[in-house]
Amino acid sequence: MIYLDNAATSFPKPEPVYEALDKFARTTLANPGRSGHRMALASERVLDDARHALNQFFKGESPERWVFTLNCTDALNMAIKGTVEAGDHVVTTDLEHNSISRPLRALEKAGVITLTRVASDNGYINPESIRAALTPKTKLVAMTHAANVLGTVQPIETIAPIVREAGVLLLIDAAQSAGVWPIDLKTTPIDFLAFPGHKALYGPTGTGALYVGPRAKPRAWREGGTGGDSKTETQPEIYPYFLEGGTPNVLGVAGLLAGIRWVVERGPENLRQHEVKLLQRVVDWAETSESWSVAGLWDPNRHVGALSLVVPDGLTAQDVSSILDTSFDIAVRPGLHCSPYAHQRLNTFPDGTLRLSPGPFSTDDHITAFINALSEISAGVL
Ligand SMILES: Cc1ncc(COP(=O)(O)O)c(C=O)c1O
């Protein structure tokens, strides 16, 4: 299978990730933070090492501020629902994945918050539109770093100081950027950084993390199950355990740690350049094609490795994806990509687009096969 669906989850993982998972599962998979024997301590050590690795990679305040989650959705819900209160105003954008847009819309529908959805232009958010949306009641700005439909990278280095200056909390969804775009928490004032471990950090599914900066004071999420401090009647307030109830996915984190180390060794910018170079070929081909076009503005300097193609009339994204899968052995993702407002803005709602997202192991031959397949499909039908 030619796998061009890395924006959903990365595949294959780098070899050291498979090795770490296998070794950890066979030798160390005890319950961390519970029993105090050597295996439990070794297991806890992997969680600590991964927190240190994340803290160094993103330059956070301290390792304890990194909370492991089930995925990015879990991290985003933890930040949003743990922060907003009745009467708060929240600013978001029309580029969001429904992991942000759904919890916010549900809170809005329930009358808990008021919500402003800032409009994008060709896949990009203008920082001044964020500034204009802030009100004295704004508690939180919740937005994506790289749009998952389009791969466009938002100027968070400019937006973050605007939000901080207004005394508002900033939640960044780094699902599509963590691992391929540098994020420096020392110079970019972000209060919550949420991301999955299973995309461009190359951990397995079931991993994710939330960075909680010192200004953020979310309420407890899952309560109980912290192992230590059993005398306390309510959730111990010490981080990261305050937000990490229950036995953590320490096996997954062992894989994630190997993934982070692999990314650090390769360098995020090198990984991004490889993917963008492959996508450039698709962009060049689409520009000469009579039937296919690229959604949003293509700027290789402000893009991660995901690209959406507008499907020609007479075909649907779903049909093309099915044909690619069954007749050409190529995996991509059709449809709305969990982001209906982005497609409304792009006029590609409700059918959506065809998204391809190469990864570090994708090759020129894969892209050639993809382009030839699309040409063949459209020539056969149109
Ligand atoms: C921008 C964005 N946010 C959130 C998510 C949700 O991530 P997860 O599936 O890890 O919950 C995704 C997944 O594709 C995404 O692309």
Side-chain angles (χ1 to χ4, degrees):
M1 166 80 59
I2 295 177
Y3 186 82
L4 297 174
D5 195 19
N6 288 271
T9 197
S10 52
F11 180 84
K13 307 297 179 189
E15 201 50 40
V17 173
Y18 294 120
E19 285 163 13
L21 287 169
D22 186 63
K23 184 166 175 225
F24 187 87
R26 290 175 194 280
T27 62
T28 321
L29 188 44
N31 203 325
R34 301 295 194 274
S35 309
H37 52 71
R38 276 172 297 150
M39 250 177 89
L41 293 178
S43 184
E44 179 77 35
R45 180 67 197 259
V46 165
L47 295 177
D48 288 345
D49 287 353
R51 287 189 228 280
H52 275 86
L54 287 174
N55 198 56
Q56 272 182 12
F57 187 56
F58 293 111
K59 304 190 175 69
E61 276 278 313
S62 62
E64 301 73 46
R65 300 235 139 236
W66 297 88
V67 172
F68 290 115
T69 62
L70 305 173
N71 45 48
C72 191
T73 304
D74 196 33
L76 292 165
N77 272 265
M78 215 180 260
I80 292 170
K81 293 177 184 165
T83 298
V84 299
E85 286 165 331
D88 285 342
H89 172 246
V90 177
V91 174
T92 188
T93 84
D94 64 7
L95 293 174
E96 303 312 316
H97 190 279
N98 60 21
S99 302
I100 282 187
S101 65
R102 279 187 181 159
L104 287 179
R105 178 71 184 120
L107 287 162
E108 185 190 30
K109 274 176 92 171
V112 177
I113 60 165
T114 53
L115 188 61
T116 301
R117 190 173 293 112
V118 169
S120 56
D121 183 15
N122 250 330
Y124 291 94
I125 297 291
N126 182 338
E128 289 309 314
S129 311
I130 299 286
R131 190 198 298 278
L134 299 173
T135 76
K137 288 199 157 176
T138 311
K139 165 76 79 62
L140 181 71
V141 172
M143 64 176 289
T144 192
H145 187 194
N148 64 309
V149 174
L150 300 168
T152 49
V153 178
Q154 308 309 315
I156 59 166
E157 295 79 6
T158 313
I159 291 170
I162 294 173
V163 176
R164 177 61 61 95
E165 209 174 286
V168 172
L169 294 169
L170 178 61
L171 163 62
I172 293 295
D173 173 357
Q176 298 296 340
S177 59
V180 281
W181 192 278
I183 300 172
D184 184 335
L185 293 168
K186 285 249 178 309
T187 54
T188 310
I190 294 168
D191 298 294
F192 290 111
L193 184 73
F195 52 88
H198 61 93
K199 296 189 200 264
L201 291 172
Y202 303 103
T205 50
T207 57
L210 178 68
Y211 171 76
V212 183
R215 293 167 75 243
K217 307 272 183 262
R219 291 180 288 279
W221 184 239
R222 292 182 299 272
E223 291 169 88
T226 52
D229 206 0
S230 294
K231 288 200 292 294
T232 325
E233 286 184 293
T234 55
Q235 195 71 350
E237 286 184 11
I238 182 165
Y239 273 81
Y241 311 110
F242 179 59
L243 291 171
E244 268 186 7
T247 300
N249 178 10
V250 64
L251 174 61
V253 172
L256 173 59
L257 175 58
I260 298 165
R261 287 176 172 156
W262 188 84
V263 167
V264 169
E265 220 176 276
R266 295 293 182 289
E269 178 59 10
N270 294 330
L271 293 165
R272 187 185 77 85
Q273 284 290 345
H274 171 74
E275 293 168 13
V276 164
K277 233 166 93 188
L278 294 175
L279 290 180
Q280 183 70 56
R281 287 193 52 212
V282 179
V283 173
D284 293 345
W285 164 79
E287 271 169 10
T288 61
S289 150
E290 281 179 11
S291 19
W292 295 87
S293 59
V294 169
L297 178 73
W298 168 256
D299 176 351
N301 296 318
R302 292 193 291 159
H303 227 276
V304 293
L307 184 79
S308 260
L309 292 172
V310 180
V311 176
D313 290 342
L315 282 167
T316 67
Q318 192 61 55
D319 289 345
V320 177
S321 168
S322 295
I323 300 168
L324 285 174
D325 179 24
T326 52
S327 303
F328 295 91
D329 217 20
I330 296 175
V332 293
R333 178 151 178 212
L336 298 176
H337 315 98
C338 305
S339 301
Y341 303 104
H343 284 282
Q344 281 165 2
R345 181 75 181 149
L346 294 163
N347 290 322
T348 48
F349 187 89
D351 185 40
T353 51
L354 190 75
R355 184 185 74 184
L356 78 149
S357 47
F361 305 107
S362 305
T363 64
D364 264 321
D365 286 349
H366 293 165
I367 297 299
T368 303
F370 174 77
I371 290 172
N372 289 344
L374 284 197
S375 306
E376 208 177 306
I377 293 168
S378 45
V381 175
L382 303 175

